[in-house]
Amino acid sequence: MVCQTTFYRDTWVEINLDHISYNIKNIKKYIGNEVEIFAVVKANGYGHGAEEVAREALESGASYLAVAFLDEALALRSKGILAPILVLGVCRPEDVKMAAEHHITLTVFQAEWLEEAIKHLPSDAKLAIHLKLDTGMGRLGIRSKEIVNQLELTAKEDSRIHLEGVYTHFATADELDLTHFEQQLDRFHEMISWLEETPEIIHSSNSAAALRFPKVHLNAVRTGISMYGLTPSQEIESILPFQLKPALSLHTKLVHVKKIQKGEKLSYGATYEAEEDEWIGTLPIGYADGWIRKLQGQEVLIGEQRVPIVGRICMDQCLVKLPAEFSMGTIVTLIGEQGEEHISADEIAEKLDTINYEIVCMIAGRVPRVYKKNGKVTRVINNLI
Ligand SMILES: *Cc1c(COP(=O)(O)O)cnc(C)c1O
């Protein structure tokens, strides 16, 4: 893959790196200097671009990175990122050599996995691991004392293995009802007490827990969504300790403008019929960019006004109804601000009956990412050419 410095298409994502920095600095201020930040940059940094976000987060106070699987960690290494990286998901035991070679920390929760992994580890290798405890998320993790003890022993008996951390993940930290959260926390403390020696890094908090409960900061927090400036849930938006600044915005330009007559029909299925003579704009963004067909009817911003998407959204294009004639090339904002108007990822999420996490992740890789710092473009990533 070549990272070109330009693109030839009038649709792009803008990432405001100052906002990533602002969010990380405020998280750091809130959790205190003793607590480390793991910047969670899985899924290409929640669609923002893992490399650029990782660099900005590390400069702003994060000290560790976290990704979902080994390939994502290796991708960061191939870009020259040297900070420690934790793989949160499962890795194959035969791939530990690769992980060790690139100083990538793995999550471990099965006794037989570690036994098998050790067989694949060269004699001079070093592998850092974190034990994952399942305290009530029910996804990955150790559930019994025997396995905790067995894994701790296996790690201790092999000098190549460094048991660096232990962690869990909360299922409901973003909800107002704290019953399940408190049960998980109690269970976590109980399970940690089964360890003979406490590892250096004990961590449990995602963004929601980190921003709400200082008692679960422990040695480190794993922040994803809040670093990107989005609230972990609508429920807790009003109780966040500081305001988050969204880093991502999505833009396109009018590439065609025309007046249609009353009764004329638009797009596939000819489902939209003009009720009067109308100005219609064509936008070069469609479902293959992640702007899916269910977004028909969603508003976009043009000239600081909200205008609706009309007719079916196509693979690469869609249509908007304009209040007047606008010139070709006028910027259209699908997520972000124009003057006083604002369309948030939360608004799109609500329209699609999902969460803001999914909205930023679904913007396709074919949409170029433009990075800005202090109002200036610092980099453009175009995955296509
Ligand atoms: C994705 C993930 C996080 C980050 O969660 P946010 O809600 O985005 O802060 C933290 N920990 C684990 C295990 C995760 O999978």
Side-chain angles (χ1 to χ4, degrees), residues 40 42 46 88 139 169 206-207 222-225 357:
V40 182
K42 60 192 181 193
Y46 294 35
L88 298 164
R139 199 167 58 175
H169 190 54
N206 55 4
S207 292
R222 304 183 304 269
T223 48
I225 203 74
Y357 293 71

Side-chain angles (χ1 to χ4, degrees), residues 11 14 23 29 38 43 61 109 123 174 183 298 309 313 363:
T11 295
E14 214 165 277
N23 295 324
K29 210 186 288 175
F38 282 55
F109 56 94
S123 57
D174 62 344
Q183 280 168 6
Q298 170 62 39
I309 294 171
I313 294 175
I363 302 171

Side-chain angles (χ1 to χ4, degrees), residues 84-151:
I85 307 176
L86 171 66
V87 172
L88 298 164
V90 177
C91 182
R92 300 182 202 123
E94 60 267 36
D95 294 336
V96 287
K97 186 170 175 281
M98 197 66 177
E101 211 172 288
H102 293 275
H103 307 284
I104 291 161
T105 310
L106 298 182
T107 292
V108 177
F109 56 94
Q110 293 159 336
E112 41 316 343
W113 185 95
L114 191 56
E115 307 276 345
E116 181 64 22
I118 278 170
K119 295 184 199 154
H120 294 274
L121 213 51
S123 57
D124 58 347
K126 284 268 175 231
L127 180 73
I129 62 168
H130 286 211
L131 294 186
K132 175 83 186 278
L133 307 179
D134 182 6
T135 57
M137 174 73 180
R139 199 167 58 175
L140 301 178
I142 308 166
R143 300 167 73 103
S144 75
K145 185 167 187 294
E146 297 100 273
I147 308 293
V148 168
N149 296 149
Q150 206 177 330
L151 280 168

Side-chain angles (χ1 to χ4, degrees), residues 1 15 40-54 66-69 72 75-76 79 228 248 360-361 363-365 367 369 371 381 383:
M1 184 190 74
I15 304 296
V40 182
V41 293
K42 60 192 181 193
N44 195 27
Y46 294 35
H48 294 62
E51 181 197 356
E52 295 299 311
V53 171
V67 295
F69 47 89
E72 291 185 329
L76 291 168
K79 308 270 166 53
Y228 302 102
L248 179 145
V360 284
C361 285
I363 302 171
V367 180
R369 266 61 172 175
Y371 295 89
I381 295 184
N383 290 312

Side-chain angles (χ1 to χ4, degrees), residues 1-254:
M1 184 190 74
V2 191
C3 291
Q4 284 291 116
T5 52
T6 192
F7 54 95
Y8 302 95
R9 173 194 191 191
D10 281 336
T11 295
W12 71 100
V13 156
E14 214 165 277
I15 304 296
N16 184 335
L17 291 171
D18 295 321
H19 286 186
I20 301 275
S21 173
Y22 168 93
N23 295 324
I24 284 283
K25 284 179 178 158
N26 276 278
I27 294 166
K28 190 76 182 173
K29 210 186 288 175
Y30 180 67
I31 63 177
N33 265 332
E34 317 300 290
V35 182
E36 279 194 77
I37 297 177
F38 282 55
V40 182
V41 293
K42 60 192 181 193
N44 195 27
Y46 294 35
H48 294 62
E51 181 197 356
E52 295 299 311
V53 171
R55 289 191 195 286
E56 194 64 31
L58 291 165
E59 260 177 45
S60 307
S63 54
Y64 221 118
L65 301 170
V67 295
F69 47 89
L70 183 57
D71 307 65
E72 291 185 329
L74 294 170
L76 291 168
R77 286 284 180 263
S78 76
K79 308 270 166 53
I81 290 179
L82 303 173
I85 307 176
L86 171 66
V87 172
L88 298 164
V90 177
C91 182
R92 300 182 202 123
E94 60 267 36
D95 294 336
V96 287
K97 186 170 175 281
M98 197 66 177
E101 211 172 288
H102 293 275
H103 307 284
I104 291 161
T105 310
L106 298 182
T107 292
V108 177
F109 56 94
Q110 293 159 336
E112 41 316 343
W113 185 95
L114 191 56
E115 307 276 345
E116 181 64 22
I118 278 170
K119 295 184 199 154
H120 294 274
L121 213 51
S123 57
D124 58 347
K126 284 268 175 231
L127 180 73
I129 62 168
H130 286 211
L131 294 186
K132 175 83 186 278
L133 307 179
D134 182 6
T135 57
M137 174 73 180
R139 199 167 58 175
L140 301 178
I142 308 166
R143 300 167 73 103
S144 75
K145 185 167 187 294
E146 297 100 273
I147 308 293
V148 168
N149 296 149
Q150 206 177 330
L151 280 168
E152 187 180 24
L153 188 66
T154 310
K156 199 174 282 179
E157 283 176 344
D158 193 317
S159 60
R160 297 168 299 176
I161 305 290
H162 172 43
L163 176 48
E164 178 191 67
V166 58
Y167 74 105
T168 193
H169 190 54
F170 295 118
T172 61
D174 62 344
E175 292 176 16
L176 292 177
D177 182 343
L178 298 180
T179 323
H180 189 70
F181 168 78
E182 293 292 350
Q183 280 168 6
Q184 279 198 267
L185 185 57
D186 289 346
R187 180 76 175 153
F188 189 43
H189 286 304
E190 185 193 358
M191 292 180 89
I192 286 173
S193 75
W194 298 340
L195 286 160
E196 247 172 60
E197 275 176 53
T198 318
E200 270 159 73
I201 314 178
I202 305 176
H203 51 115
S204 65
S205 297
N206 55 4
S207 292
L211 295 177
R212 292 178 75 193
F213 312 115
K215 68 177 173 182
V216 291
H217 289 165
L218 308 167
N219 307 126
V221 299
R222 304 183 304 269
T223 48
I225 203 74
S226 55
M227 167 172 71
Y228 302 102
L230 300 175
T231 181
S233 71
Q234 291 299 304
E235 245 180 299
I236 64 162
E237 189 170 19
S238 62
I239 55 170
L240 296 177
F242 56 91
Q243 209 188 341
L244 296 165
K245 293 189 179 177
L248 179 145
S249 55
L250 174 62
H251 311 271
T252 187
K253 284 182 182 175
L254 281 178

